[in-house]
Amino acid sequence: MTYFLLPIRLSRLCRRNVLSIPFLLFFFIFQAFAQDDFKPKLGLIDRASLEMNAYPGDSTAEAVFLYDYGKVTFSYDNLRGLMMTTNIWVRVKILKESALERASVDIPYYMGSSYKDQEWVEDLKGYTYNLENNQIVRTELEKKAIRREKTSDTQTTVKFNLPNAKKGSIIEYSYSRVSPMSVRHEPEIWTFQGAVPRKWSEYNIIIPGFLDYKMTMGGYIPLDIHKQEPLNVSVGHSTYDGPGLSYRFVIKDVPAFVNEPFITTASDYVSKINFELASINVPGEMKKNFSQTWDNVERTLDEATWFGGELRKSGFLKDMRDEIAAKSTDPLERMNLAYRHIQERMKWDGYSGLFAAGGIKKAYDNRKGNACDINLMLTVLLRELDLECDPVLLSTRAHGYLHQEIPMLESFNYVIAHVKIGEKAYFLDASESFAKPGLLPERALNGVGRIIPKKGKGRFLEIIPADSQSKLEMITANIVPEDGTIKGSYSISYGGYEALDWRSKYGAEGDNVFHDDLKKAVPEWNIQKVAIQNKAEDFKGTVNVTCQFEMEDENASPAVFYFNPVLAGRWTKNPLKAKERIYPIDLGTGISASFIGNFTLPDGYALEEMPKAEIIVLPDKGGKFSYQVRQVGNVIQVNSTIIVSRTRFLSEEYADLKEFFERVVQKHAQPLVIKKKNI
């Protein structure tokens, strides 16, 4: 049994479940799971793959990667110094015409101003395979069909179309991209998973001992082969030659990544390997460190004119500070006044980022800026009012989950403010025109953020929304079976994120816009007297809508009347469709949806059968669904309450949550039967 030292620091980063091994002497025993190896030859294809009409692992797939291969090696060039070469080899079976676009390939590479700062692509080969007259016909990519186009000031792209590609073809290409380490000192992220299945995805890298990389592995599909072995690495220069390590990673039969409901962004879930250069330590030369600490990141921010420099600019806000200070000495009231002032004055331009590009004073004067502009000026104003307020950096849901173990400024793309008053803390984002203080937009609800205090060290804060998607709907109506009509009043109260969503859509519009949308949402209703209260007066309160309605069932008879009592807020489909799920569920916010119905029957009518009451509870207090129908006198009372208090569920809890939603849909679809009593 052989043990050897690992110069790469290895961590496995899965969504919410992170294992990190920093600065560790890590011993690893080669382990290859039960797995047949696969080493094809470029330019040769098997008949069975060509004859395949559908991929057995996914009959819906438009294409399948039969082979997806990458290899990274290092070398030394006398003119350019250290070089990194990335070899790519792709073999794809085209199963549907919709996948023919994969025969058009673009390979971008960097072109700097000096030849020492330029990448290049070499050894490009391509083939298309078809079955013609029961014979395998190979068509080779001609050199004259390869184009190079300058696609930006610093980027050139190699473009080509693989010839004779059609439904049923197999396309194949390989190339090498050579990169000076001055241009690209880290291998690109290797993803084992994509939009279509991959029968075999393999990544190899040979690392000289003087290069120290941190490697992170993300996703939810385990490796089938994970092999490493020591070897002598020759890069072409005696100073750099010496011991190193070779790695091989393989996943076979990789399913297509499905963008399922309730996720953040695909990059948080696909299986992948990422590298970060920690240091270069050449024998006899000074060691150069690249890896950052959180202290480095915070120092960079503090010294940056576009961040720390902006936090030290307050003169343009002194008049507003004095005006607010004269109105109140209460810290909470001061916070609310400052928040409302910035919120009403500023218009968000739709951009995130960490840069106050033109400066917060310019943004304030122009009454428009990005989220960083707006929330940095809010932070400055609150500090001027003697409140403990600091910026918080985070990664939005679309940007990806923030890994606390990897100190990188690039991990962040958004700024909010954090205020502490006594023992209570508030997260503020004044870029949302209709949000109450403490209600962050859903884009900012991504687990954690890092606070950058005015004094002392930064730290991570968990961001848990205090509000949910809250909605209460009520109907009070009379049922007239002889006419087949239901006539009465309807009201709905939007709270929390439901209120924010409603106000964001209708708050600046005329009431008629919502009236029209309401009528489209329930076309079977004849709606009259729509009234809206607290449209945008008090963001802390609910939006309340009332109306009168009438609906008619043309198939009803005086003797028997069928109707679904959940006339509003009915769940008609389960948002969770997949049979199984390997990814966790991230709802973003909790759910609170209630319906109360009171239906008055004329004398001589009653429910034929009383439905059974139902209560369903999710494990670990994750949620509760209750449904009850009863008759009191001549009034049918219906109560439905859906509460999901947790926002994140593990994949192991998927079946429970899916069943929970399914029971809601089933119960909401259950009709009631009203019959005329025999007197």
Side-chain angles (χ1 to χ4, degrees), residues 12 186 269 280 294 344 353 367 422 426 460 486 500 531 544 584 597 610:
R12 178 77 181 178
E186 294 166 347
Y269 300 84
I280 297 178
W294 286 118
E344 291 179 342
R367 296 175 177 262
Y426 300 85
F460 285 101
I486 301 175
L500 176 59
N544 302 307
M610 191 70 63

Side-chain angles (χ1 to χ4, degrees), residues 414-542:
Y414 205 77
V415 181
I416 60 175
H418 176 271
V419 180
K420 189 172 182 182
I421 300 175
E423 297 300 316
K424 192 165 184 180
Y426 300 85
F427 291 108
L428 303 178
D429 184 350
S431 68
E432 278 292 335
S433 299
F434 297 100
K436 66 181 182 180
L439 185 74
L440 294 179
E442 289 187 62
R443 61 179 173 270
L445 302 178
N446 199 18
V448 295
R450 189 166 182 89
I451 189 169
I452 311 298
K454 192 173 185 178
K455 295 181 180 179
K457 291 188 175 183
R459 65 189 187 279
F460 285 101
L461 299 176
E462 190 173 10
I463 300 176
I464 302 174
D467 292 89
S468 62
Q469 297 277 356
S470 179
K471 188 166 56 175
L472 170 61
E473 298 178 83
M474 300 179 65
I475 283 181
T476 301
N478 293 313
I479 297 177
V480 184
E482 292 182 349
D483 298 335
T485 61
I486 301 175
K487 184 177 182 180
S489 64
Y490 166 70
S491 68
I492 180 169
S493 293
Y494 299 96
Y497 285 93
E498 287 280 2
L500 176 59
D501 291 345
W502 191 96
R503 288 183 173 121
S504 297
K505 187 174 184 179
Y506 301 109
E509 302 287 347
D511 288 358
N512 62 298
V513 176
F514 174 73
H515 296 182
D516 292 342
D517 285 351
L518 178 61
K519 291 175 181 179
K520 291 176 184 177
V522 279
E524 65 274 18
W525 289 13
N526 179 13
I527 296 175
Q528 303 291 333
K529 299 179 180 179
V530 181
I532 303 172
Q533 292 182 326
N534 196 25
K535 183 176 182 179
E537 293 78 18
D538 178 15
F539 296 157
K540 295 179 183 178
T542 58

Side-chain angles (χ1 to χ4, degrees), residues 86-104:
T86 304
N87 304 111
I88 299 295
W89 178 4
V90 175
R91 180 179 287 179
V92 182
K93 170 71 177 185
I94 305 296
L95 296 168
K96 298 180 181 179
E97 290 185 359
S98 57
L100 284 173
E101 61 183 17
R102 294 183 179 275
S104 299

Side-chain angles (χ1 to χ4, degrees), residues 129-304:
Y129 306 89
N130 289 293
L131 272 179
E132 297 179 6
N133 299 320
N134 205 32
Q135 299 293 317
I136 297 176
V137 176
R138 188 184 79 176
T139 307
E140 186 172 355
L141 174 68
E142 297 182 357
K143 289 185 177 180
K144 65 181 180 181
I146 302 171
R147 310 181 307 280
R148 281 177 167 80
E149 295 183 9
K150 189 174 178 63
T151 46
S152 75
D153 291 341
T154 58
Q155 182 174 286
T156 297
T157 302
V158 172
K159 298 185 176 184
F160 59 89
N161 295 315
L162 291 161
N164 202 26
K166 53 191 173 184
K167 179 183 175 181
S169 299
I170 291 176
I171 58 174
E172 179 177 50
Y173 59 90
S174 69
Y175 64 91
S176 296
R177 185 181 63 201
V178 186
S179 311
M181 291 283 282
S182 59
V183 171
R184 189 188 302 273
H185 57 263
E186 294 166 347
E188 286 192 322
I189 296 174
W190 179 264
T191 55
F192 294 95
Q193 198 173 16
V196 299
R198 302 185 184 192
K199 188 171 180 58
W200 189 278
S201 185
E202 176 172 341
Y203 184 76
N204 295 259
I205 184 168
I206 297 175
I207 304 178
F210 62 88
L211 293 177
D212 180 14
Y213 281 102
K214 288 191 295 186
M215 178 167 56
T216 57
M217 302 182 65
Y220 297 88
I221 302 175
L223 292 165
D224 290 300
I225 295 178
H226 180 180
K227 178 182 179 181
Q228 71 170 51
E229 58 184 0
L231 75 170
N232 289 320
V233 179
S234 176
V235 298
H237 192 291
S238 58
T239 303
Y240 300 100
D241 293 346
L245 282 172
S246 171
Y247 294 87
R248 185 181 184 215
F249 306 97
V250 176
I251 305 182
K252 71 164 189 172
D253 299 326
V254 188
F257 177 78
V258 179
N259 202 341
E260 298 183 35
F262 307 129
I263 67 170
T264 50
T265 184
S267 63
D268 282 344
Y269 300 84
V270 295
S271 292
K272 60 188 177 183
I273 296 179
N274 188 27
F275 293 86
E276 181 190 357
L277 183 60
S279 66
I280 297 178
N281 187 10
V282 180
E285 298 182 10
M286 184 180 295
K287 180 177 180 180
K288 187 174 182 180
N289 292 313
F290 294 89
S291 185
Q292 297 191 89
T293 66
W294 286 118
D295 286 343
N296 297 146
V297 172
E298 289 159 19
R299 190 179 307 112
T300 299
L301 284 168
D302 182 65
E303 295 173 354

Side-chain angles (χ1 to χ4, degrees), residues 25 105 108 208 335-336 402 434-435 448 544 562 564 586 631 647 650:
L25 298 181
V105 183
M335 183 192 80
N336 289 333
L402 175 62
F434 297 100
V448 295
N544 302 307
Y562 296 88
N564 187 316
D586 190 327
Q631 183 169 349
T647 61
L650 300 176

Side-chain angles (χ1 to χ4, degrees), residues 251-421:
I251 305 182
K252 71 164 189 172
D253 299 326
V254 188
F257 177 78
V258 179
N259 202 341
E260 298 183 35
F262 307 129
I263 67 170
T264 50
T265 184
S267 63
D268 282 344
Y269 300 84
V270 295
S271 292
K272 60 188 177 183
I273 296 179
N274 188 27
F275 293 86
E276 181 190 357
L277 183 60
S279 66
I280 297 178
N281 187 10
V282 180
E285 298 182 10
M286 184 180 295
K287 180 177 180 180
K288 187 174 182 180
N289 292 313
F290 294 89
S291 185
Q292 297 191 89
T293 66
W294 286 118
D295 286 343
N296 297 146
V297 172
E298 289 159 19
R299 190 179 307 112
T300 299
L301 284 168
D302 182 65
E303 295 173 354
T305 56
W306 43 263
F307 193 90
E310 294 297 323
L311 287 171
R312 289 183 278 273
K313 297 177 181 178
S314 60
F316 69 100
L317 291 169
K318 290 189 184 299
D319 289 344
M320 181 51 57
R321 175 203 64 189
D322 294 342
E323 182 179 327
I324 293 173
K327 289 181 180 180
S328 177
T329 59
D330 179 65
L332 182 60
E333 182 64 19
R334 285 187 171 192
M335 183 192 80
N336 289 333
L337 288 170
Y339 174 83
R340 192 63 184 263
H341 168 70
I342 299 297
Q343 183 184 48
E344 291 179 342
R345 181 182 180 89
M346 299 301 298
K347 179 178 176 59
W348 181 43
D349 62 11
Y351 289 97
S352 301
L354 302 181
F355 299 85
I360 60 175
K361 181 183 183 302
K362 183 179 179 180
Y364 187 81
D365 292 340
N366 292 336
R367 296 175 177 262
K368 185 177 183 179
N370 62 29
C372 182
D373 292 322
I374 294 170
N375 289 320
L376 284 187
M377 72 176 65
L378 173 63
T379 300
V380 172
L381 179 56
L382 290 169
R383 284 178 173 180
E384 284 291 301
L385 289 164
D386 297 324
L387 295 180
E388 184 182 340
C389 182
D390 296 302
V392 174
L393 277 59
L394 53 83
S395 174
T396 60
R397 294 172 68 83
H399 187 251
Y401 184 63
L402 175 62
H403 296 298
Q404 301 177 37
E405 293 75 15
I406 307 176
M408 290 177 61
L409 190 57
E410 293 78 8
S411 299
F412 305 105
N413 75 322
Y414 205 77
V415 181
I416 60 175
H418 176 271
V419 180
K420 189 172 182 182
I421 300 175

